[in-house]
Amino acid sequence: MRPSTWHRLDHLQPVLVGMLAALGGMTLYSAHADWGRQALWVVLGAGAYAAASAFDYRRLRALAPGLYVTMLLLLVAVHLVGRTALGARRWLSVAGFPLEPSELSKLMIVLVLAGYLARHEKLSWRTFAGALLLVVPPACLILTQPDLGTAMVFVAVLLGMLFLGGARVSQLGLLAAAGAVAVPLLPHLLHGYQRRRLEIFLDPNQDPLGAGYNLLQARIAVGAGGLFGQGWLHGLQGQLGFVPERATDFVFAIFAEEFGLLGSLVLLALFGALLIRLLRSAAVAPDRFGELVAGGVLAMLAVQVVENVGMNIGLLPIAGIPLPLISYGGSATITTLAALGLVQSVMLRRRLVVHQDRLQYGDAAAPVAGVVRLQP
Amino acid sequence: MIDPGRWVELGGATPRARWSARLVAAAALAVLAVGVLSVKLALLQVHDGARLAGLARANTVHRVVLEADRGIIYDRHGVPLVANSPVWELRVVPAQLPVDAVARTAELAELARIIGVPEERLAGTLAAADPYGAARVGTDLTQAQELAINERLPELAGVAIQRREVRTYVDPLIFGHVVGYVGPLDDSEVRELGRLGYQPDEVTGKVGVEAGLESQLRGKDGWADVEVDARGQVVKTLATQAAVPGLSVYLSLDAALQRATAQALAAGLVRDHKAAGASVVIDPRTGEVLALVSLPGYDTNLFTHGISKADYSRLISDPNRPLLNRAIAGQYAPGSTFKMVTATAGLQEGKITAQTLLSCPSYINVGGWIYHNWASYSLGDMNVAKALATSCDTFFYQVAAMVGDVTLARYARAYGFGETKGIEMPGVMPGLVPDRIWKQLRCGVPDLNADACRWTEGDTITLGIGQSYLLTTPLNQAVYAAALANGGQVLRPTLVHAVRDASGRVVQSEHAEVTGMVPASAANIQAVREGMREEINRPYNMNYWFRAAGVPADGGGKTGTAQWGGSGLDLPTHAWFVFFAPFAQPEIAMSVFVERGELSEVEAAPIAVQIMKFYRADRDAIRAS
């Protein structure tokens, strides 16, 4: 690697990612998941990470419309030929591997929105409306799979990117108002089981053996972890199968039971550090598109971490969202690593410039006077 | 200045404000979100940690009761009278069934198919059950069913097979009234016995020695703390406490003699077209009960699982009252069998001697009332022995009048009437010895001198022949016969020969216990015994039965045909016979009772002779232990 490339890299980000993936592997081993298969996903994800890093993200800007169409086709295909499991039609079979297009679409919508918003320095009402219109069709397709969790990620990504993309206060206020109107309507828009989840969240004792059972058992597992945890592979609730979906949605409960509050805070700190690191990448991105990509990836991961941990500890309603880098799953793992790789690509495409005796970052495309070629 | 030879990372320190306000706000939001999650985590894991850890343990660590086998009841020679047979039960914990509705329905359908009940009924049972309890959905599974479920156990969440011992009774029609039966705890027992560690689904002895010796037979349940997974399958056993089986009880009964007694009694009842009777055979040296029979009997096995309504109403509406253990709880006037008490009192109180001759007219007149003898003609003058042998009523009227009611009652109690101490069975009735005080207390009128409360001379003299208000049980009468046999010792009747633990060690054995002595000289008691010897040697009735059975008439006995049900002539009667043998050194004493028997000499006495016949043929075996 050329030294310039080496120095442009965000060194901390892959370290954090590696630590999280390692903790994820340990937890999945404890959760009796198919550990080897997950290792394969991580290896493939690492390849995607490297490829995305090497790939010049700026070329994606032009590809955004194509990505959008691909995403819609994939989501429609799921509805037509998808595999049904646990009452939802979410998977496509690709060369024998299960592919979950809704996971892929999380990253695709980030790129599509970044491409769209990057064309406008200031967010006009027209641009604002256009962004909303872009998100609605795929979100609806996902909502009807049904997959409330991923639809929520779409909304969060839209909000996050509009915010970072410079939406006006009035526009954000309108969204807040729309939300305030939508929440009371939500129960009517939801599927029966989704409405039930919401009710159970509000009062889990309502149905302690059915829908509330998962929530209660996960909460018991987290609480049983105590300050120091019961030790790796020694969580009673998790090992004996009381925690539902212990390799996917409720993997955090397994982790929290075995590693306790101290372990959980370390995990949250790692995620927090990763998120701040992504923010920094947005801050130092060489162009608006790069900044929006980093911001979108940030929003995508942040909402997943908060919602997943929140639902594991009874703070937020249950929605099927994986914990990035920890939960078992090929599509999610590869998508997450590819997304982080793209952020790294943004980092690699910045240029270091010296201006008035001070080193600072500059837009690689902009002709800057006095670029220091520091290479020997 | 930057050294041009080196690359430098500056991070957030870049002066150019690319850290826009929005990025700072987003960072703040991320920190806030992680902070909120951390606080909630701390609340759960530290504040509620202990409580939730307790819930986790309760989820996973279950205490399983290891039921102790109930002790076996044997006869004195080790012949088992009960057996514990294994049955398998299917138990389901509703909370551990699959949460997924499809899997749940499939599992219930599978179970319903195996145990052969409709799916709706199974689902209904579980819906009504305690969701966290182990509901018993199938009892008495066949071995095939048990195997079928056991094979699929790993796939069936929340399902367990439990082996239980169920009591079965040998020959309940013969042994049932003694042995009794066990049954499920009723609601009040659940409350009372729960303190003694009884499980709500445990069984307990209800009647007979099953109830009387409950504490020996029960044993002590053990437990196992097991770790179960979310599907209710045992993952590992953490700690166990083995169950201690109940003690084995060797009853004093001789199973063969009990059988012979029941057969003799049943044959007598059939021959005389009678429905009910009882007999108690006692060893007059120790008080051990060798046989205790009450007929009709009933199938105690019906009760072990909780009896059906139909069976129960059939039993309680049966006019012959099979559930009544007449041997210990049937209270009847003893009639002439009581005359040995009157004789003992007359002799010991000095009112008569063995040689005193009193007339035996066909009736006597007391205060204007006529009291008849059984014979409508005078039998002439006779001493006490002849009076016993001929059962002269008028002779004993006179003796009773001389002795007086209070003294007569005292002798009756000394012989054990009015109370039976100690037999190891609940439901023993005491009988009744009346006297003037008792009559005053029972009349229920405040004026103790009212007619209904006043003891009359008629009460005294009819008491002298075992009528009046006197009541006794066959067990009472057997203790009385034993006292006459052994020269006046009233023994505590017992059903326990020995109690052994699982290793066969005797932990309790029975010894003769004398609870009272008849306050009479040996000579006086001997005079009474002579009368009993004469009775069974009377040529035209009693002696006939002994000769017919080929048994020497060596012993002492007394018949009794007791009137009951009011006053007047031609009252219905019960037939009694008390007997002991051999005369010189008695080994066996007994009472025989035939309900509504009309002639004790031909109905009750022959039954005793048949029992005696069996005993003589089998005595060596009975003595062997």
Side-chain angles (χ1 to χ4, degrees):
Chain A
M1 196 182 291
R2 290 165 51 211
S4 58
T5 309
W6 173 249
H7 284 90
R8 284 193 191 99
L9 265 177
D10 182 345
H11 298 101
L12 191 52
Q13 190 231 59
V15 171
L16 292 169
V17 168
M19 287 168 77
L20 284 167
L23 284 178
M26 281 177 77
T27 313
L28 289 181
Y29 182 81
S30 180
H32 304 271
D34 189 341
W35 189 77
R37 208 170 161 88
Q38 179 68 10
L40 175 67
W41 301 136
V42 172
V43 169
L44 289 177
Y49 183 92
S53 303
F55 187 77
D56 187 346
Y57 71 97
R58 285 168 295 204
R59 288 167 62 187
L60 287 169
R61 204 172 154 172
L63 293 177
L67 274 175
Y68 188 69
V69 173
T70 310
M71 173 172 75
L72 288 180
L73 286 177
L74 276 172
L75 290 174
V76 168
V78 165
H79 275 276
L80 297 179
V81 295
R83 208 149 49 76
T84 304
L86 298 172
R89 194 178 276 270
R90 288 183 192 167
W91 288 269
L92 285 177
S93 190
V94 177
F97 287 103
L99 177 74
E100 203 174 348
S102 56
E103 289 295 334
L104 253 58
S105 67
K106 290 175 187 172
L107 177 56
M108 289 169 151
I109 197 71
V110 166
L111 294 172
V112 168
L113 280 175
Y116 174 75
L117 295 174
R119 283 194 272 143
H120 311 275
E121 192 64 38
K122 284 262 161 27
L123 260 172
S124 68
W125 279 99
R126 201 188 140 117
T127 316
F128 175 76
L132 294 191
L133 283 176
L134 273 178
V135 170
V136 168
C140 285
L141 281 170
I142 286 166
L143 203 55
T144 52
Q145 284 184 357
D147 185 352
L148 179 64
T150 305
M152 275 174 53
V153 173
F154 267 53
V155 173
V157 164
L158 174 69
L159 286 174
M161 292 182 73
L162 283 175
F163 178 72
L164 293 179
R168 301 173 200 173
V169 175
S170 56
Q171 288 167 340
L172 292 172
L174 180 74
L175 282 177
V181 172
V183 166
L185 287 176
L186 205 59
H188 305 286
L189 303 174
L190 294 177
H191 278 255
Y193 90 98
Q194 290 166 336
R195 195 158 53 231
R196 188 95 191 106
R197 273 182 176 176
L198 212 62
E199 289 164 14
I200 297 301
F201 165 70
L202 296 173
D203 180 12
N205 293 314
Q206 210 182 81
D207 183 12
L209 301 181
Y213 180 84
N214 289 358
L215 180 54
L216 284 177
Q217 294 299 341
R219 200 184 290 183
I220 287 172
V222 172
L227 192 55
F228 300 106
Q230 298 186 0
W232 187 48
L233 306 179
H234 287 97
L236 275 182
Q237 285 281 105
Q239 293 302 319
L240 296 173
F242 286 90
V243 176
E245 311 285 335
R246 59 184 171 181
T248 52
D249 292 357
F250 287 98
V251 73
F252 179 76
I254 303 288
F255 180 89
E257 186 184 22
E258 301 195 344
F259 298 99
L261 179 63
L262 292 181
S264 304
L265 291 182
V266 166
L267 187 72
L268 283 182
L270 290 176
F271 274 120
L274 180 63
L275 295 181
I276 297 296
R277 209 66 200 162
L278 293 176
L279 269 176
R280 178 180 169 277
S281 298
V284 302
D287 60 357
R288 186 167 159 79
F289 179 65
E291 182 185 352
L292 284 166
V293 167
V297 171
L298 164 77
M300 167 185 127
L301 293 183
V303 70
Q304 294 192 74
V305 170
V306 171
E307 162 59 20
N308 183 281
V309 174
M311 82 180 187
N312 266 272
I313 61 179
L315 203 58
L316 292 169
I318 293 176
I321 288 186
L323 187 58
L325 300 171
I326 308 288
S327 288
Y328 177 84
S331 301
T333 302
I334 293 172
T335 302
T336 303
L337 286 169
L340 290 163
L342 272 181
V343 176
Q344 195 67 272
S345 168
V346 173
M347 296 297 278
L348 286 170
R349 272 41 194 210
R350 70 202 150 118
R351 190 180 274 176
L352 293 167
V353 296
V354 170
H355 179 69
Q356 295 180 344
D357 298 344
R358 283 186 293 197
L359 190 67
Q360 62 185 58
Y361 303 105
D363 188 328
V368 176
V371 171
V372 185
R373 298 279 175 201
L374 290 167
Q375 229 171 312
Chain B
M1 270 305 296
I2 298 295
D3 171 5
R6 202 162 55 83
W7 285 88
V8 180
E9 271 295 328
L10 278 186
T14 47
R16 197 172 132 199
R18 291 297 293 268
W19 272 98
S20 66
R22 291 191 181 219
L23 284 173
V24 173
L29 199 64
V31 169
L32 180 70
V34 169
V36 169
L37 292 177
S38 302
V39 168
K40 174 70 180 177
L41 260 173
L43 280 177
L44 265 185
Q45 298 195 298
V46 178
H47 182 258
D48 295 336
R51 184 176 65 81
L52 293 172
L55 286 179
R57 259 194 306 284
N59 255 343
T60 54
V61 178
H62 289 197
R63 175 157 289 196
V64 177
V65 173
L66 304 174
E67 285 179 27
D69 285 353
R70 198 173 170 84
I72 300 293
I73 300 171
Y74 300 96
D75 87 336
R76 62 192 298 123
H77 310 296
V79 176
L81 303 179
V82 303
N84 290 336
S85 16
V87 294
W88 285 273
E89 287 179 350
L90 172 62
R91 287 170 175 246
V92 175
V93 181
Q96 291 171 346
L97 287 170
V99 177
D100 177 56
V102 177
R104 190 187 184 94
T105 309
E107 177 167 327
L108 290 184
E110 171 88 347
L111 287 177
R113 189 182 62 71
I114 295 174
I115 64 172
V117 301
E119 273 176 64
E120 310 81 62
R121 210 173 84 202
L122 182 61
T125 307
L126 291 176
D130 167 15
Y132 298 99
R136 200 181 294 172
V137 296
T139 50
D140 296 349
L141 301 185
T142 63
Q143 194 145 8
Q145 289 171 326
E146 186 264 331
L147 274 175
I149 294 171
N150 248 332
E151 261 176 22
R152 289 176 183 72
L153 220 45
E155 310 136 40
L156 297 171
V159 172
I161 290 279
Q162 192 160 348
R163 184 179 183 275
R164 282 174 79 87
E165 297 286 352
V166 166
R167 211 62 155 169
T168 46
Y169 294 103
V170 176
D171 245 336
L173 296 180
I174 288 169
F175 297 98
H177 276 299
V178 187
V179 171
Y181 58 81
V182 295
L185 301 188
D186 62 36
D187 291 346
S188 67
E189 286 170 329
V190 167
R191 281 193 298 278
E192 284 168 34
L193 299 178
R195 284 194 293 268
L196 296 175
Y198 277 77
Q199 304 295 317
D201 58 355
E202 203 170 329
V203 296
T204 181
K206 297 292 188 185
V207 296
V209 295
E210 285 276 31
L213 297 172
E214 172 70 15
S215 58
Q216 283 96 328
L217 291 167
R218 184 184 169 219
K220 194 170 175 346
D221 286 348
W223 47 260
D225 283 343
V226 296
E227 198 172 278
V228 298
D229 63 16
R231 302 152 55 79
Q233 308 298 332
V234 173
V235 177
K236 67 180 173 205
T237 302
L238 305 170
T240 56
Q241 168 77 57
V244 179
L247 299 170
S248 297
V249 173
Y250 290 72
L251 295 184
S252 57
L253 291 188
D254 179 280
L257 185 66
Q258 170 87 2
R259 213 174 277 279
T261 302
Q263 274 158 6
L265 184 60
L269 294 179
V270 168
R271 191 187 57 221
D272 298 315
H273 307 291
K274 299 295 184 287
S279 179
V280 177
V281 183
I282 279 188
D283 185 331
R285 297 161 297 186
T286 62
E288 284 187 311
V289 175
L290 299 173
L292 189 149
V293 174
S294 174
L295 291 179
Y298 59 97
D299 186 356
T300 47
N301 285 318
L302 291 174
F303 286 83
T304 51
H305 290 291
I307 190 168
S308 74
K309 261 205 167 71
D311 283 335
Y312 192 64
S313 65
R314 183 172 54 72
L315 284 175
I316 56 169
S317 60
D318 187 328
N320 295 321
R321 303 177 67 195
L323 294 177
L324 173 65
N325 185 352
R326 288 173 170 80
I328 60 165
Q331 303 185 97
Y332 315 94
S336 297
T337 56
F338 186 74
K339 284 171 181 165
M340 282 81 82
V341 175
T342 310
T344 308
L347 289 166
Q348 187 65 25
E349 295 296 312
K351 306 299 183 188
I352 56 167
T353 69
Q355 288 76 41
T356 302
L357 296 179
L358 293 176
S359 64
C360 180
S362 66
Y363 68 88
I364 61 168
N365 183 327
V366 176
W369 294 85
I370 301 296
Y371 293 89
H372 289 271
N373 188 15
W374 57 267
S376 57
Y377 46 90
S378 169
L379 296 179
D381 292 351
M382 52 180 62
N383 64 9
V384 66
K386 175 117 187 271
L388 283 169
T390 58
S391 201
C392 175
D393 294 328
T394 44
F395 181 97
F396 288 99
Y397 291 150
Q398 296 169 61
V399 175
M402 288 185 251
V403 172
D405 62 300
V406 174
T407 306
L408 201 50
R410 181 157 56 80
Y411 277 87
R413 292 194 183 100
Y415 266 110
F417 285 91
E419 182 182 12
T420 298
K421 290 188 177 116
I423 194 164
E424 296 87 355
M425 233 194 254
V428 174
M429 296 300 282
L432 174 66
V433 178
D435 57 18
R436 59 186 61 217
I437 296 160
W438 167 82
K439 193 171 181 186
Q440 283 185 343
L441 291 176
R442 97 182 242 282
C443 68
V445 179
D447 176 10
L448 295 182
N449 289 315
D451 275 355
C453 302
R454 221 173 47 242
W455 185 268
T456 67
E457 180 102 42
D459 288 335
T460 303
I461 65 167
T462 50
L463 177 62
I465 62 160
Q467 295 286 162
S468 178
Y469 305 97
L470 194 63
L471 292 176
T472 182
T473 64
L475 176 62
N476 233 245
Q477 292 274 64
V479 171
Y480 170 54
L484 289 162
N486 64 30
Q489 289 181 342
V490 179
L491 297 164
R492 183 173 78 84
T494 176
L495 277 162
V496 176
H497 186 59
V499 176
R500 294 171 193 268
D501 65 15
S503 62
R505 201 166 52 86
V506 174
V507 293
Q508 179 189 340
S509 63
E510 282 298 324
H511 303 288
E513 188 187 327
V514 179
T515 60
M517 284 296 297
V518 178
S521 69
N524 284 338
I525 291 178
Q526 189 59 27
V528 173
R529 286 162 49 90
E530 289 297 342
M532 294 177 75
R533 171 145 74 175
E534 269 192 65
E535 157 105 20
I536 68 161
N537 282 292
R538 279 157 69 209
Y540 295 113
N541 38 46
M542 289 301 301
N543 187 269
Y544 166 80
W545 297 112
F546 281 94
R547 276 189 287 115
V551 179
D554 176 24
K558 182 72 195 81
T559 53
T561 306
Q563 295 178 329
W564 56 283
S567 58
L569 300 173
D570 297 325
L571 287 169
T573 54
H574 294 310
W576 284 102
F577 188 61
V578 294
F579 177 74
F580 64 83
F583 189 80
Q585 273 155 349
E587 298 167 4
I588 184 169
M590 70 183 77
S591 64
V592 174
F593 168 75
V594 176
E595 194 167 302
R596 292 172 182 267
E598 290 139 83
L599 278 170
S600 48
E601 298 96 316
V602 298
E603 294 185 5
I607 294 168
V609 173
Q610 289 302 314
I611 296 168
M612 199 54 215
K613 181 185 176 184
F614 177 83
Y615 175 76
R616 284 188 66 88
D618 207 41
R619 66 197 290 185
D620 292 336
I622 294 173
R623 276 177 177 168
S625 55

CSV table of all heavy atoms in Angstrom, one decimal, chain B residues 513-536:
chain,number,residue,atom,x,y,z
B,513,GLU,N,-50.1,-56.3,75.6
B,513,GLU,CA,-50.3,-55.1,76.5
B,513,GLU,C,-51.7,-55.3,77.2
B,513,GLU,O,-52.7,-55.4,76.6
B,513,GLU,CB,-50.3,-53.9,75.7
B,513,GLU,CG,-50.3,-52.6,76.6
B,513,GLU,CD,-50.5,-51.3,75.7
B,513,GLU,OE1,-50.0,-51.3,74.6
B,513,GLU,OE2,-51.1,-50.4,76.3
B,514,VAL,N,-51.5,-55.4,78.5
B,514,VAL,CA,-52.7,-55.6,79.3
B,514,VAL,C,-53.3,-54.3,79.7
B,514,VAL,O,-52.6,-53.5,80.3
B,514,VAL,CB,-52.4,-56.5,80.6
B,514,VAL,CG1,-53.7,-56.6,81.4
B,514,VAL,CG2,-51.8,-57.8,80.2
B,515,THR,N,-54.5,-54.0,79.2
B,515,THR,CA,-55.0,-52.7,79.5
B,515,THR,C,-55.9,-52.7,80.7
B,515,THR,O,-56.3,-51.6,81.2
B,515,THR,CB,-55.8,-52.1,78.3
B,515,THR,OG1,-56.9,-53.0,78.1
B,515,THR,CG2,-55.0,-52.0,77.1
B,516,GLY,N,-56.3,-53.9,81.2
B,516,GLY,CA,-57.1,-53.9,82.4
B,516,GLY,C,-57.2,-55.3,82.9
B,516,GLY,O,-57.0,-56.3,82.2
B,517,MET,N,-57.6,-55.4,84.2
B,517,MET,CA,-57.8,-56.7,84.8
B,517,MET,C,-59.3,-56.8,85.3
B,517,MET,O,-59.7,-55.8,85.9
B,517,MET,CB,-56.9,-57.0,86.0
B,517,MET,CG,-55.4,-57.3,85.6
B,517,MET,SD,-55.3,-58.8,84.7
B,517,MET,CE,-55.8,-60.0,85.9
B,518,VAL,N,-59.9,-57.9,85.0
B,518,VAL,CA,-61.3,-58.0,85.6
B,518,VAL,C,-61.1,-58.2,87.1
B,518,VAL,O,-60.3,-59.1,87.6
B,518,VAL,CB,-61.9,-59.3,85.0
B,518,VAL,CG1,-63.3,-59.4,85.6
B,518,VAL,CG2,-62.0,-59.1,83.5
B,519,PRO,N,-61.8,-57.4,87.9
B,519,PRO,CA,-61.6,-57.4,89.3
B,519,PRO,C,-62.3,-58.6,90.0
B,519,PRO,O,-63.3,-58.4,90.7
B,519,PRO,CB,-62.2,-56.1,89.8
B,519,PRO,CG,-63.2,-55.8,88.8
B,519,PRO,CD,-62.8,-56.3,87.5
B,520,ALA,N,-61.9,-59.8,89.7
B,520,ALA,CA,-62.5,-61.0,90.2
B,520,ALA,C,-61.5,-62.0,90.5
B,520,ALA,O,-60.4,-62.1,89.8
B,520,ALA,CB,-63.6,-61.5,89.2
B,521,SER,N,-61.8,-62.9,91.4
B,521,SER,CA,-60.8,-63.9,91.8
B,521,SER,C,-60.7,-65.0,90.7
B,521,SER,O,-61.7,-65.1,89.9
B,521,SER,CB,-61.2,-64.6,93.1
B,521,SER,OG,-62.4,-65.3,92.9
B,522,ALA,N,-59.6,-65.6,90.7
B,522,ALA,CA,-59.4,-66.7,89.7
B,522,ALA,C,-60.5,-67.7,89.8
B,522,ALA,O,-61.0,-68.3,88.8
B,522,ALA,CB,-58.0,-67.3,89.8
B,523,ALA,N,-60.9,-68.1,91.0
B,523,ALA,CA,-61.9,-69.1,91.2
B,523,ALA,C,-63.2,-68.6,90.7
B,523,ALA,O,-63.9,-69.4,90.0
B,523,ALA,CB,-62.0,-69.4,92.7
B,524,ASN,N,-63.5,-67.4,90.8
B,524,ASN,CA,-64.8,-66.9,90.3
B,524,ASN,C,-64.8,-66.9,88.8
B,524,ASN,O,-65.8,-67.2,88.2
B,524,ASN,CB,-65.1,-65.5,90.9
B,524,ASN,CG,-65.6,-65.6,92.3
B,524,ASN,OD1,-66.1,-66.6,92.8
B,524,ASN,ND2,-65.4,-64.5,93.0
B,525,ILE,N,-63.7,-66.5,88.2
B,525,ILE,CA,-63.7,-66.5,86.8
B,525,ILE,C,-63.7,-67.9,86.2
B,525,ILE,O,-64.4,-68.2,85.3
B,525,ILE,CB,-62.4,-65.7,86.3
B,525,ILE,CG1,-62.6,-64.2,86.6
B,525,ILE,CG2,-62.2,-65.9,84.8
B,525,ILE,CD1,-61.4,-63.4,86.2
B,526,GLN,N,-63.0,-68.8,87.0
B,526,GLN,CA,-63.0,-70.2,86.6
B,526,GLN,C,-64.5,-70.7,86.6
B,526,GLN,O,-64.9,-71.5,85.7
B,526,GLN,CB,-62.1,-71.0,87.5
B,526,GLN,CG,-61.9,-72.5,87.1
B,526,GLN,CD,-61.3,-72.5,85.7
B,526,GLN,OE1,-60.6,-71.6,85.2
B,526,GLN,NE2,-61.6,-73.6,85.0
B,527,ALA,N,-65.3,-70.3,87.6
B,527,ALA,CA,-66.6,-70.8,87.7
B,527,ALA,C,-67.4,-70.3,86.5
B,527,ALA,O,-68.2,-71.1,85.9
B,527,ALA,CB,-67.3,-70.2,89.0
B,528,VAL,N,-67.1,-69.1,86.0
B,528,VAL,CA,-67.8,-68.6,84.8
B,528,VAL,C,-67.4,-69.4,83.6
B,528,VAL,O,-68.2,-69.8,82.8
B,528,VAL,CB,-67.5,-67.1,84.6
B,528,VAL,CG1,-68.1,-66.6,83.3
B,528,VAL,CG2,-68.1,-66.3,85.8
B,529,ARG,N,-66.1,-69.6,83.5
B,529,ARG,CA,-65.5,-70.4,82.4
B,529,ARG,C,-66.2,-71.8,82.4
B,529,ARG,O,-66.4,-72.3,81.3
B,529,ARG,CB,-64.0,-70.5,82.5
B,529,ARG,CG,-63.3,-69.2,82.2
B,529,ARG,CD,-61.9,-69.2,82.7
B,529,ARG,NE,-61.1,-70.4,82.3
B,529,ARG,CZ,-60.4,-70.6,81.2
B,529,ARG,NH1,-60.3,-69.6,80.4
B,529,ARG,NH2,-59.8,-71.8,81.0
B,530,GLU,N,-66.4,-72.4,83.5
B,530,GLU,CA,-67.0,-73.7,83.6
B,530,GLU,C,-68.4,-73.7,82.9
B,530,GLU,O,-68.8,-74.6,82.2
B,530,GLU,CB,-67.1,-74.2,85.0
B,530,GLU,CG,-65.8,-74.6,85.7
B,530,GLU,CD,-65.1,-75.8,85.0
B,530,GLU,OE1,-65.7,-76.5,84.2
B,530,GLU,OE2,-63.9,-75.9,85.2
B,531,GLY,N,-69.1,-72.6,83.2
B,531,GLY,CA,-70.4,-72.5,82.5
B,531,GLY,C,-70.3,-72.4,81.0
B,531,GLY,O,-71.1,-73.0,80.3
B,532,MET,N,-69.2,-71.7,80.6
B,532,MET,CA,-69.0,-71.6,79.1
B,532,MET,C,-68.6,-73.0,78.5
B,532,MET,O,-69.0,-73.3,77.4
B,532,MET,CB,-67.9,-70.6,78.8
B,532,MET,CG,-68.3,-69.2,79.2
B,532,MET,SD,-67.0,-68.0,78.9
B,532,MET,CE,-67.1,-67.8,77.1
B,533,ARG,N,-67.9,-73.8,79.3
B,533,ARG,CA,-67.5,-75.1,78.9
B,533,ARG,C,-68.8,-76.0,78.7
B,533,ARG,O,-69.0,-76.7,77.8
B,533,ARG,CB,-66.5,-75.8,79.8
B,533,ARG,CG,-66.3,-77.2,79.5
B,533,ARG,CD,-64.9,-77.7,79.7
B,533,ARG,NE,-64.6,-77.9,81.1
B,533,ARG,CZ,-63.4,-78.3,81.5
B,533,ARG,NH1,-62.5,-78.7,80.7
B,533,ARG,NH2,-63.2,-78.5,82.8
B,534,GLU,N,-69.7,-75.9,79.8
B,534,GLU,CA,-70.9,-76.6,79.7
B,534,GLU,C,-71.8,-76.3,78.5
B,534,GLU,O,-72.4,-77.1,77.9
B,534,GLU,CB,-71.7,-76.4,81.0
B,534,GLU,CG,-71.4,-77.4,82.1
B,534,GLU,CD,-72.3,-77.3,83.3
B,534,GLU,OE1,-73.5,-77.7,83.0
B,534,GLU,OE2,-71.9,-77.0,84.3
B,535,GLU,N,-71.8,-75.0,78.2
B,535,GLU,CA,-72.6,-74.5,77.1
B,535,GLU,C,-72.2,-75.2,75.8
B,535,GLU,O,-73.1,-75.7,75.1
B,535,GLU,CB,-72.4,-73.0,76.9
B,535,GLU,CG,-72.7,-72.5,75.5
B,535,GLU,CD,-74.0,-71.7,75.4
B,535,GLU,OE1,-74.5,-71.3,76.5
B,535,GLU,OE2,-74.6,-71.6,74.3
B,536,ILE,N,-71.0,-75.3,75.5
B,536,ILE,CA,-70.6,-75.9,74.2
B,536,ILE,C,-70.7,-77.4,74.3
B,536,ILE,O,-70.6,-78.1,73.3
B,536,ILE,CB,-69.2,-75.5,73.7
B,536,ILE,CG1,-68.1,-76.0,74.6
B,536,ILE,CG2,-69.2,-74.0,73.6
B,536,ILE,CD1,-66.8,-76.0,73.8
